[in-house]
């Protein structure tokens, strides 16, 4: 028995469009990712400037400790930046498909 209300559709044409609100939320999340990426890049530049300042710092052991800590922070920021970038790509793909 066939459904009298069913329409003939080509294979793969059974995609349901996202509601506008969901699409808007994904677009907003993507923009937030871009903002986070810029913020992380700014933090990394600030760490670089602080590193330049520490080169003139007289207290060698203290400066070395700070530089080591800054290197750790920079590495963590780089990891977060990669995560944000992957998230943004996934969101962009959702928007493209939506």
């Amino acid at each position: 028995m066939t459904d009298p209300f069913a329409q003939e559709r080509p294979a793969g044409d059974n995609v349901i469009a996202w509601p506008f609100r969901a699409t808007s939320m994904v677009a907003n999340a993507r923009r937030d990712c871009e903002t986070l990426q810029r913020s992380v890049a700014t933090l990394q530049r600030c760490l670089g400037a602080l590193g330049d300042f520490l080169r003139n710092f007289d207290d060698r052991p203290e400066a070395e400790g700070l530089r080591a800590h800054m290197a750790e922070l920079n590495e963590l920021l780089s990891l977060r930046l990669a995560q944000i970038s992957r998230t943004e790509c996934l969101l962009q793909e959702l928007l493209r498909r939506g």
Side-chain angles (χ1 to χ4, degrees):
M1 177 180 276
T2 61
D3 182 358
F5 299 106
Q7 297 177 357
E8 291 294 322
R9 287 183 245 156
D13 196 28
N14 58 353
V15 176
I16 299 171
W18 281 34
F20 175 75
R21 179 166 164 73
T23 302
S24 177
M25 289 173 59
V26 172
N28 288 340
R30 186 167 170 254
R31 281 191 296 277
D32 290 343
C33 284
E34 292 170 351
T35 300
L36 282 170
Q37 287 174 319
R38 285 192 302 272
S39 297
V40 168
T42 299
L43 282 170
Q44 288 179 314
R45 282 193 305 276
C46 289
L47 281 174
L50 185 56
D52 292 342
F53 171 76
L54 287 176
R55 286 192 189 94
N56 299 322
F57 199 52
D58 287 336
D59 190 2
R60 299 282 182 223
E62 186 69 24
E64 288 301 319
L66 286 171
R67 276 195 288 277
H69 185 66
M70 288 170 33
E72 291 174 14
L73 287 174
N74 195 43
E75 185 176 332
L76 289 172
L77 287 170
S78 293
L79 290 172
R80 292 295 181 234
L81 193 57
Q83 289 174 333
I84 294 167
S85 179
R86 287 192 301 268
T87 301
E88 184 187 11
C89 287
L90 290 172
L91 291 170
Q92 187 173 2
E93 182 65 19
L94 279 173
L95 284 175
R96 188 186 69 76
R97 290 182 182 186

XYZ file of all heavy atoms in Angstrom:
774
model
N 0.847 -1.164 0.000
C 0.000 0.000 0.000
C 0.902 1.239 0.000
O 1.805 1.347 0.790
C -0.899 -0.027 1.232
C -1.763 1.192 1.342
S -2.824 1.158 2.779
C -4.166 0.209 2.197
N 0.643 2.141 -0.885
C 1.457 3.343 -0.979
C 0.767 4.495 -0.272
O -0.456 4.528 -0.142
C 1.713 3.732 -2.444
O 0.460 3.979 -3.057
C 2.475 2.652 -3.170
N 1.562 5.426 0.168
C 1.063 6.606 0.851
C 0.558 7.603 -0.197
O 1.322 8.051 -1.050
C 2.188 7.225 1.685
C 1.746 8.444 2.476
O 0.572 8.848 2.369
O 2.587 8.989 3.208
N -0.713 7.966 -0.175
C -1.244 8.877 -1.197
C -0.659 10.289 -1.077
O -0.699 11.059 -2.017
C -2.757 8.896 -0.940
C -2.919 8.464 0.471
C -1.748 7.564 0.778
N -0.087 10.634 0.081
C 0.471 11.973 0.282
C 1.964 12.035 -0.018
O 2.549 13.111 -0.042
C 0.217 12.444 1.709
C -1.243 12.529 2.043
C -1.836 11.586 2.863
C -2.037 13.531 1.514
C -3.184 11.650 3.167
C -3.387 13.595 1.806
C -3.968 12.660 2.634
N 2.558 10.876 -0.200
C 4.003 10.854 -0.489
C 4.242 11.355 -1.899
O 3.474 11.072 -2.812
C 4.542 9.438 -0.330
N 5.309 12.112 -2.047
C 5.673 12.610 -3.367
C 6.929 11.883 -3.816
O 7.751 11.478 -3.017
C 5.947 14.116 -3.314
C 4.739 14.926 -2.925
C 5.098 16.412 -2.814
O 6.246 16.790 -2.978
N 4.108 17.220 -2.527
N 7.032 11.734 -5.116
C 8.234 11.117 -5.663
C 9.404 12.078 -5.513
O 9.338 13.228 -5.934
C 8.023 10.782 -7.149
C 7.042 9.674 -7.383
C 7.548 8.349 -6.855
O 8.753 8.065 -6.977
O 6.722 7.594 -6.315
N 10.459 11.607 -4.863
C 11.653 12.441 -4.689
C 12.864 11.626 -5.081
O 12.922 10.428 -4.831
C 11.812 12.856 -3.226
C 10.814 13.893 -2.803
C 11.092 14.301 -1.394
N 9.932 13.866 -0.631
C 9.920 13.617 0.653
N 11.011 13.740 1.345
N 8.846 13.233 1.255
N 13.847 12.275 -5.666
C 15.069 11.559 -5.982
C 15.773 11.110 -4.710
O 15.589 11.690 -3.642
C 15.923 12.581 -6.742
C 15.182 13.868 -6.726
C 13.868 13.657 -6.091
N 16.570 10.061 -4.824
C 17.316 9.550 -3.673
C 18.200 10.648 -3.106
O 18.797 11.427 -3.828
C 18.166 8.355 -4.091
N 18.275 10.717 -1.792
C 19.108 11.712 -1.138
C 18.430 13.058 -0.974
O 19.011 13.990 -0.451
N 17.188 13.160 -1.402
C 16.473 14.433 -1.323
C 15.579 14.482 -0.087
O 14.633 15.238 -0.031
C 15.637 14.648 -2.580
C 15.191 16.095 -2.736
O 15.905 16.979 -2.235
O 14.141 16.312 -3.360
N 15.887 13.663 0.886
C 15.065 13.629 2.090
C 15.731 14.377 3.243
O 15.555 14.050 4.389
C 14.763 12.191 2.498
C 16.036 11.412 2.730
O 17.122 11.901 2.474
N 15.891 10.202 3.227
N 16.484 15.406 2.917
C 17.164 16.210 3.925
C 16.184 17.234 4.461
O 15.496 17.912 3.699
C 18.400 16.919 3.325
C 19.055 17.830 4.333
C 19.377 15.888 2.795
N 16.131 17.335 5.762
C 15.246 18.298 6.403
C 16.080 19.527 6.751
O 17.120 19.426 7.381
C 14.607 17.706 7.670
C 13.777 16.488 7.296
C 13.778 18.750 8.397
C 13.268 15.708 8.477
N 15.625 20.669 6.326
C 16.349 21.913 6.598
C 16.275 22.246 8.089
O 15.278 21.969 8.741
C 15.758 23.049 5.784
N 17.347 22.823 8.581
C 17.387 23.250 9.977
C 16.434 24.414 10.170
O 16.284 25.258 9.289
C 18.786 23.733 10.318
C 19.770 22.661 10.580
C 19.848 21.449 10.005
C 20.856 22.743 11.491
N 20.909 20.769 10.487
C 21.545 21.537 11.401
C 21.309 23.720 12.354
C 22.667 21.274 12.158
C 22.422 23.460 13.105
C 23.100 22.249 13.023
N 15.847 24.482 11.345
C 15.047 25.678 11.638
C 15.956 26.904 11.683
O 17.147 26.802 11.984
C 14.456 25.401 13.021
C 14.780 24.007 13.352
C 15.826 23.519 12.409
N 15.393 28.050 11.386
C 16.186 29.289 11.348
C 16.909 29.520 12.667
O 18.071 29.911 12.687
C 15.292 30.481 11.018
C 16.030 31.780 11.073
C 16.913 32.130 10.057
C 15.877 32.634 12.150
C 17.617 33.316 10.101
C 16.580 33.828 12.202
C 17.449 34.167 11.176
N 16.248 29.276 13.785
C 16.863 29.511 15.102
C 18.123 28.676 15.273
O 19.140 29.168 15.748
C 15.855 29.219 16.206
C 16.425 29.411 17.601
C 15.305 29.440 18.638
N 15.770 29.253 19.980
C 16.434 30.149 20.682
N 16.757 31.290 20.140
N 16.812 29.896 21.921
N 18.090 27.407 14.892
C 19.269 26.548 15.026
C 20.395 27.041 14.130
O 21.554 27.089 14.542
C 18.907 25.102 14.701
N 20.058 27.425 12.908
C 21.064 27.948 11.983
C 21.678 29.221 12.542
O 22.889 29.421 12.481
C 20.430 28.227 10.605
O 19.859 27.009 10.114
C 21.454 28.726 9.618
N 20.854 30.060 13.115
C 21.329 31.308 13.709
C 22.262 31.026 14.883
O 23.286 31.690 15.048
C 20.137 32.146 14.164
O 20.571 33.313 14.798
N 21.934 30.035 15.692
C 22.779 29.683 16.837
C 24.137 29.164 16.365
O 25.168 29.494 16.950
C 22.068 28.651 17.720
C 20.895 29.244 18.478
S 19.905 28.014 19.372
C 21.110 27.297 20.450
N 24.150 28.359 15.326
C 25.402 27.845 14.780
C 26.237 28.990 14.217
O 27.449 29.067 14.443
C 25.147 26.755 13.712
C 26.434 26.357 13.020
C 24.493 25.533 14.346
N 25.593 29.904 13.511
C 26.310 31.061 12.959
C 26.891 31.918 14.081
O 28.029 32.389 13.989
C 25.381 31.887 12.084
N 26.125 32.108 15.147
C 26.628 32.873 16.291
C 27.806 32.169 16.952
O 28.788 32.817 17.337
C 25.515 33.106 17.317
C 24.497 34.110 16.851
O 24.753 34.918 15.964
N 23.315 34.053 17.442
N 27.720 30.859 17.087
C 28.819 30.093 17.688
C 30.073 30.198 16.827
O 31.191 30.312 17.341
C 28.408 28.632 17.869
N 29.890 30.201 15.528
C 31.035 30.341 14.615
C 31.688 31.708 14.777
O 32.908 31.825 14.821
C 30.583 30.129 13.172
C 31.726 30.112 12.214
C 31.317 29.596 10.847
N 32.419 29.845 9.954
C 32.439 30.793 9.038
N 31.390 31.563 8.860
N 33.482 30.962 8.274
N 30.880 32.743 14.886
C 31.425 34.091 15.118
C 32.149 34.152 16.464
O 33.187 34.804 16.594
C 30.323 35.137 15.042
C 29.948 35.495 13.614
C 29.056 36.718 13.549
N 27.759 36.515 14.181
C 26.713 35.944 13.592
N 26.813 35.508 12.346
N 25.570 35.809 14.234
N 31.600 33.465 17.471
C 32.260 33.425 18.772
C 33.620 32.736 18.669
O 34.586 33.142 19.324
C 31.388 32.709 19.804
C 30.148 33.503 20.186
O 30.105 34.726 19.913
O 29.217 32.902 20.758
N 33.700 31.697 17.844
C 34.980 31.023 17.621
C 35.989 31.983 17.006
O 37.165 32.010 17.410
C 34.807 29.804 16.711
S 34.084 28.370 17.520
N 35.548 32.774 16.047
C 36.438 33.749 15.417
C 36.934 34.763 16.448
O 38.110 35.131 16.465
C 35.732 34.459 14.267
C 35.436 33.558 13.094
C 34.521 34.197 12.066
O 33.967 35.290 12.330
O 34.355 33.597 10.988
N 36.038 35.197 17.333
C 36.416 36.145 18.387
C 37.431 35.506 19.332
O 38.424 36.139 19.713
C 35.166 36.597 19.179
O 34.256 37.218 18.277
C 35.524 37.555 20.290
N 37.191 34.257 19.708
C 38.135 33.542 20.574
C 39.495 33.395 19.903
O 40.537 33.555 20.550
C 37.583 32.162 20.950
C 36.522 32.135 22.037
C 35.897 30.746 22.124
C 37.103 32.545 23.370
N 39.498 33.092 18.610
C 40.769 32.960 17.893
C 41.547 34.266 17.926
O 42.760 34.268 18.159
C 40.525 32.532 16.441
C 40.115 31.091 16.305
C 39.736 30.742 14.886
O 39.067 31.514 14.200
N 40.144 29.571 14.445
N 40.864 35.377 17.697
C 41.544 36.680 17.750
C 42.064 36.969 19.155
O 43.166 37.491 19.330
C 40.603 37.794 17.280
C 40.407 37.821 15.777
C 39.713 39.092 15.314
N 38.411 39.288 15.930
C 37.264 38.811 15.448
N 37.264 38.106 14.330
N 36.123 39.044 16.068
N 41.278 36.617 20.170
C 41.686 36.856 21.555
C 42.912 36.026 21.928
O 43.832 36.525 22.589
C 40.530 36.539 22.511
O 39.437 37.392 22.274
N 42.924 34.770 21.512
C 44.075 33.912 21.795
C 45.313 34.446 21.084
O 46.404 34.494 21.660
C 43.781 32.442 21.404
C 45.052 31.598 21.425
C 42.745 31.838 22.342
N 45.159 34.871 19.841
C 46.289 35.442 19.100
C 46.817 36.695 19.799
O 48.033 36.908 19.889
C 45.877 35.758 17.665
N 45.910 37.512 20.335
C 46.319 38.704 21.075
C 47.085 38.317 22.335
O 48.130 38.916 22.654
C 45.087 39.564 21.447
O 44.440 39.967 20.244
C 45.486 40.780 22.255
N 46.591 37.314 23.048
C 47.296 36.841 24.246
C 48.695 36.335 23.899
O 49.660 36.607 24.623
C 46.506 35.722 24.930
C 45.324 36.156 25.770
C 44.494 34.938 26.173
C 45.780 36.913 26.998
N 48.815 35.628 22.790
C 50.125 35.134 22.383
C 51.063 36.284 22.045
O 52.251 36.243 22.383
C 49.993 34.160 21.214
C 49.400 32.832 21.639
C 49.233 31.858 20.502
O 48.743 32.216 19.441
N 49.644 30.624 20.722
N 50.553 37.321 21.384
C 51.389 38.499 21.091
C 51.824 39.187 22.386
O 52.965 39.626 22.514
C 50.646 39.478 20.180
C 50.642 39.055 18.724
C 50.183 40.170 17.794
N 48.894 40.731 18.133
C 47.715 40.222 17.763
N 47.680 39.128 17.031
N 46.588 40.798 18.117
N 50.906 39.266 23.350
C 51.247 39.873 24.645
C 52.314 39.058 25.374
O 53.228 39.631 25.989
C 50.004 40.010 25.514
S 48.845 41.270 24.928
N 52.208 37.750 25.306
C 53.243 36.909 25.904
C 54.588 37.153 25.228
O 55.629 37.181 25.888
C 52.874 35.421 25.804
C 51.864 34.906 26.816
C 51.487 33.458 26.492
C 52.392 35.004 28.229
N 54.578 37.324 23.910
C 55.812 37.625 23.185
C 56.401 38.958 23.629
O 57.617 39.079 23.835
N 55.544 39.967 23.794
C 56.016 41.281 24.250
C 56.562 41.196 25.667
O 57.598 41.807 25.983
C 54.876 42.299 24.179
N 55.908 40.419 26.515
C 56.401 40.229 27.877
C 57.746 39.512 27.862
O 58.647 39.837 28.634
C 55.379 39.454 28.703
C 55.667 39.268 30.181
C 55.886 40.609 30.873
C 54.532 38.506 30.839
N 57.896 38.560 26.948
C 59.182 37.867 26.801
C 60.283 38.827 26.388
O 61.412 38.753 26.896
N 59.960 39.739 25.485
C 60.932 40.760 25.083
C 61.324 41.631 26.277
O 62.489 41.966 26.463
C 60.371 41.647 23.971
C 60.190 40.892 22.665
O 60.805 39.807 22.509
O 59.432 41.385 21.810
N 60.344 41.992 27.099
C 60.611 42.794 28.282
C 61.519 42.038 29.261
O 62.432 42.614 29.846
C 59.295 43.177 28.961
C 59.468 43.828 30.295
C 59.867 45.156 30.386
C 59.237 43.122 31.464
C 60.030 45.762 31.615
C 59.404 43.715 32.695
C 59.793 45.038 32.778
N 61.257 40.737 29.424
C 62.028 39.947 30.386
C 63.491 39.775 29.981
O 64.328 39.465 30.820
C 61.389 38.572 30.597
C 60.098 38.573 31.413
C 59.509 37.167 31.471
C 60.341 39.116 32.807
N 63.793 39.973 28.710
C 65.194 39.876 28.297
C 66.046 40.940 28.983
O 67.238 40.766 29.150
C 65.296 40.007 26.778
C 64.843 38.782 26.056
C 65.225 38.836 24.571
N 64.589 37.755 23.880
C 63.417 37.829 23.237
N 62.775 38.973 23.188
N 62.905 36.789 22.646
N 65.432 42.031 29.363
C 66.137 43.113 30.038
C 66.046 43.022 31.559
O 66.560 43.880 32.255
C 65.574 44.479 29.595
C 65.756 44.688 28.119
O 66.768 44.308 27.547
N 64.751 45.277 27.492
N 65.410 41.978 32.050
C 65.197 41.798 33.483
C 66.486 41.303 34.127
O 67.109 40.353 33.660
C 64.061 40.795 33.680
C 63.413 40.821 35.017
C 62.937 42.002 35.559
C 63.251 39.650 35.735
C 62.323 42.015 36.789
C 62.642 39.655 36.959
C 62.169 40.841 37.495
N 66.912 41.930 35.217
C 68.193 41.599 35.838
C 68.169 40.309 36.640
O 69.193 39.637 36.739
C 68.654 42.747 36.747
C 69.140 43.941 35.947
O 69.538 43.735 34.782
O 69.094 45.060 36.479
N 67.064 39.958 37.223
C 66.996 38.777 38.082
C 66.884 37.519 37.214
O 65.803 37.078 36.867
C 65.805 38.898 39.036
C 65.807 37.824 40.108
O 66.755 37.008 40.133
O 64.861 37.795 40.905
N 68.022 36.961 36.850
C 68.058 35.832 35.907
C 67.207 34.625 36.334
O 66.432 34.126 35.536
C 69.506 35.381 35.664
C 70.370 36.451 35.061
C 70.089 36.568 33.588
N 70.975 37.578 33.031
C 70.617 38.490 32.178
N 69.399 38.519 31.742
N 71.459 39.373 31.728
N 67.369 34.116 37.573
C 66.553 32.932 37.935
C 65.054 33.211 37.871
O 64.281 32.378 37.393
C 66.981 32.607 39.361
C 68.299 33.274 39.550
C 68.302 34.467 38.649
N 64.663 34.379 38.343
C 63.239 34.732 38.298
C 62.757 34.868 36.853
O 61.683 34.393 36.489
C 63.006 36.039 39.062
C 61.559 36.414 39.206
C 60.784 35.498 40.138
O 61.391 34.862 41.010
O 59.559 35.420 39.961
N 63.565 35.516 36.025
C 63.205 35.693 34.617
C 63.121 34.341 33.912
O 62.209 34.123 33.099
C 64.214 36.594 33.922
N 64.026 33.440 34.216
C 63.985 32.106 33.596
C 62.709 31.362 33.982
O 62.088 30.707 33.146
C 65.231 31.295 33.993
C 66.501 31.758 33.330
C 66.431 31.695 31.813
O 65.894 30.708 31.263
O 66.892 32.658 31.180
N 62.333 31.477 35.250
C 61.090 30.838 35.710
C 59.874 31.412 35.002
O 58.976 30.672 34.592
N 59.841 32.725 34.857
C 58.729 33.366 34.153
C 58.699 32.970 32.682
O 57.626 32.712 32.120
C 58.827 34.887 34.286
C 58.464 35.461 35.659
C 58.805 36.942 35.719
C 56.989 35.242 35.952
N 59.865 32.920 32.051
C 59.914 32.521 30.630
C 59.433 31.085 30.442
O 58.711 30.787 29.485
C 61.324 32.703 30.066
C 61.595 34.118 29.606
C 62.838 34.200 28.733
N 64.071 34.029 29.480
C 64.695 34.996 30.150
N 64.199 36.218 30.161
N 65.809 34.756 30.794
N 59.813 30.208 31.373
C 59.351 28.813 31.288
C 57.833 28.743 31.434
O 57.153 28.012 30.696
C 60.037 27.974 32.351
N 57.311 29.503 32.386
C 55.852 29.525 32.590
C 55.145 30.109 31.365
O 54.101 29.600 30.926
C 55.521 30.325 33.846
C 54.072 30.305 34.202
N 53.411 29.156 34.592
C 53.146 31.284 34.208
C 52.136 29.437 34.812
N 51.957 30.727 34.592
N 55.716 31.151 30.795
C 55.128 31.757 29.599
C 55.158 30.793 28.421
O 54.216 30.754 27.623
C 55.866 33.052 29.254
C 55.564 34.169 30.232
S 56.598 35.639 30.079
C 56.933 35.742 28.359
N 56.214 30.005 28.302
C 56.294 29.012 27.225
C 55.193 27.971 27.388
O 54.560 27.562 26.401
C 57.667 28.358 27.213
N 54.933 27.557 28.629
C 53.849 26.607 28.890
C 52.492 27.224 28.518
O 51.655 26.565 27.896
C 53.838 26.191 30.357
C 55.001 25.329 30.778
C 55.011 25.065 32.275
O 53.978 25.318 32.944
O 56.046 24.621 32.775
N 52.287 28.476 28.926
C 51.038 29.159 28.590
C 50.865 29.279 27.086
O 49.765 29.051 26.557
C 51.007 30.555 29.220
C 50.792 30.621 30.726
C 50.943 32.058 31.215
C 49.422 30.079 31.091
N 51.936 29.619 26.391
C 51.862 29.756 24.941
C 51.517 28.417 24.283
O 50.726 28.370 23.335
C 53.173 30.307 24.387
C 53.021 30.787 22.971
O 52.038 31.439 22.626
N 53.994 30.454 22.145
N 52.085 27.348 24.798
C 51.775 26.020 24.252
C 50.311 25.671 24.478
O 49.623 25.166 23.579
C 52.677 24.965 24.894
C 52.507 23.592 24.289
C 53.480 22.579 24.868
O 54.568 22.971 25.305
O 53.125 21.394 24.871
N 49.807 25.954 25.680
C 48.389 25.695 25.957
C 47.480 26.550 25.075
O 46.461 26.077 24.578
C 48.089 25.962 27.437
C 48.656 24.961 28.433
C 48.445 25.450 29.865
C 48.020 23.595 28.243
N 47.865 27.800 24.880
C 47.083 28.671 24.000
C 47.083 28.137 22.565
O 46.056 28.186 21.882
C 47.622 30.102 24.034
C 47.327 30.893 25.310
C 48.123 32.192 25.321
C 45.842 31.161 25.457
N 48.207 27.615 22.123
C 48.283 27.042 20.767
C 47.364 25.835 20.636
O 46.696 25.661 19.611
C 49.723 26.658 20.432
O 50.525 27.803 20.331
N 47.320 24.997 21.677
C 46.417 23.844 21.658
C 44.964 24.292 21.609
O 44.163 23.748 20.840
C 46.653 22.967 22.894
C 47.966 22.197 22.934
C 48.142 21.525 24.298
C 48.008 21.163 21.822
N 44.625 25.287 22.412
C 43.254 25.801 22.414
C 42.908 26.425 21.068
O 41.796 26.275 20.573
C 43.050 26.826 23.532
C 43.109 26.242 24.910
C 41.968 25.275 25.145
N 42.042 24.740 26.484
C 42.065 23.456 26.763
N 41.991 22.569 25.790
N 42.134 23.046 27.992
N 43.860 27.114 20.485
C 43.634 27.728 19.177
C 43.329 26.658 18.131
O 42.423 26.819 17.307
C 44.858 28.548 18.769
C 44.713 29.501 17.607
C 43.603 30.505 17.859
C 46.016 30.220 17.360
N 44.041 25.547 18.180
C 43.779 24.442 17.252
C 42.391 23.851 17.493
O 41.666 23.541 16.541
C 44.860 23.377 17.399
N 42.010 23.711 18.769
C 40.680 23.185 19.081
C 39.580 24.124 18.583
O 38.584 23.682 18.013
C 40.529 22.976 20.590
C 41.337 21.830 21.124
C 41.271 21.754 22.647
O 41.070 22.760 23.322
N 41.456 20.554 23.166
N 39.774 25.405 18.798
C 38.782 26.382 18.339
C 38.682 26.352 16.826
O 37.585 26.416 16.260
C 39.148 27.796 18.846
C 39.037 27.865 20.366
C 38.255 28.850 18.204
C 39.672 29.106 20.964
N 39.808 26.222 16.158
C 39.814 26.181 14.699
C 39.048 24.958 14.188
O 38.253 25.068 13.248
C 41.256 26.161 14.190
O 41.279 26.104 12.793
N 39.273 23.808 14.809
C 38.542 22.601 14.402
C 37.046 22.763 14.666
O 36.214 22.362 13.847
C 39.092 21.376 15.123
C 40.447 20.927 14.603
C 40.844 19.563 15.129
N 40.914 19.519 16.576
C 42.009 19.754 17.305
N 43.129 20.099 16.708
N 41.976 19.668 18.616
N 36.705 23.355 15.793
C 35.298 23.588 16.118
C 34.662 24.513 15.098
O 33.544 24.267 14.624
C 35.163 24.179 17.539
O 35.731 23.270 18.480
C 33.714 24.445 17.886
N 35.382 25.570 14.737
C 34.851 26.506 13.741
C 34.635 25.808 12.400
O 33.622 26.035 11.732
C 35.790 27.697 13.560
C 35.223 28.717 12.608
C 36.183 29.834 12.264
O 37.372 29.737 12.591
O 35.721 30.793 11.642
N 35.552 24.940 12.011
C 35.389 24.191 10.754
C 34.144 23.302 10.798
O 33.405 23.216 9.819
C 36.628 23.354 10.466
S 38.054 24.321 9.949
N 33.925 22.653 11.938
C 32.729 21.814 12.077
C 31.460 22.656 12.006
O 30.480 22.270 11.354
C 32.774 21.045 13.402
C 33.808 19.936 13.504
C 33.868 19.398 14.933
C 33.481 18.816 12.534
N 31.475 23.805 12.650
C 30.312 24.690 12.597
C 30.074 25.204 11.187
O 28.935 25.290 10.722
C 30.504 25.855 13.565
C 30.472 25.493 15.053
C 30.923 26.675 15.897
C 29.094 25.007 15.478
N 31.151 25.527 10.497
C 31.033 25.995 9.118
C 30.433 24.897 8.237
O 29.573 25.161 7.384
C 32.394 26.419 8.584
C 32.352 27.068 7.234
C 33.708 27.615 6.842
O 34.698 27.490 7.549
N 33.768 28.259 5.698
N 30.847 23.666 8.465
C 30.292 22.542 7.708
C 28.802 22.360 8.008
O 28.009 22.081 7.113
C 31.078 21.262 8.026
C 30.617 20.048 7.270
C 30.820 20.145 5.763
O 31.626 20.974 5.287
O 30.167 19.382 5.037
N 28.433 22.524 9.281
C 27.012 22.439 9.636
C 26.210 23.505 8.910
O 25.111 23.232 8.402
C 26.835 22.612 11.149
C 27.089 21.403 12.021
C 27.041 21.799 13.495
C 26.101 20.314 11.729
N 26.740 24.715 8.852
C 26.039 25.786 8.144
C 25.926 25.494 6.652
O 24.900 25.758 6.034
C 26.757 27.124 8.352
C 26.561 27.781 9.703
C 27.444 29.033 9.802
C 25.111 28.144 9.932
N 27.007 24.947 6.096
C 26.994 24.636 4.673
C 25.939 23.583 4.351
O 25.230 23.680 3.358
C 28.381 24.149 4.240
C 28.523 23.985 2.733
C 29.847 23.378 2.367
N 29.970 21.993 2.776
C 29.382 20.944 2.166
N 28.623 21.146 1.111
N 29.557 19.723 2.588
N 25.827 22.607 5.220
C 24.863 21.526 4.994
C 23.433 21.927 5.348
O 22.495 21.360 4.837
C 25.229 20.305 5.826
C 26.466 19.613 5.346
C 26.732 18.411 6.161
N 27.937 17.739 5.752
C 28.336 16.604 6.238
N 27.650 15.993 7.181
N 29.458 16.053 5.812
N 23.330 22.887 6.294
C 22.015 23.272 6.808
C 21.257 24.067 5.828
O 20.114 24.090 5.645
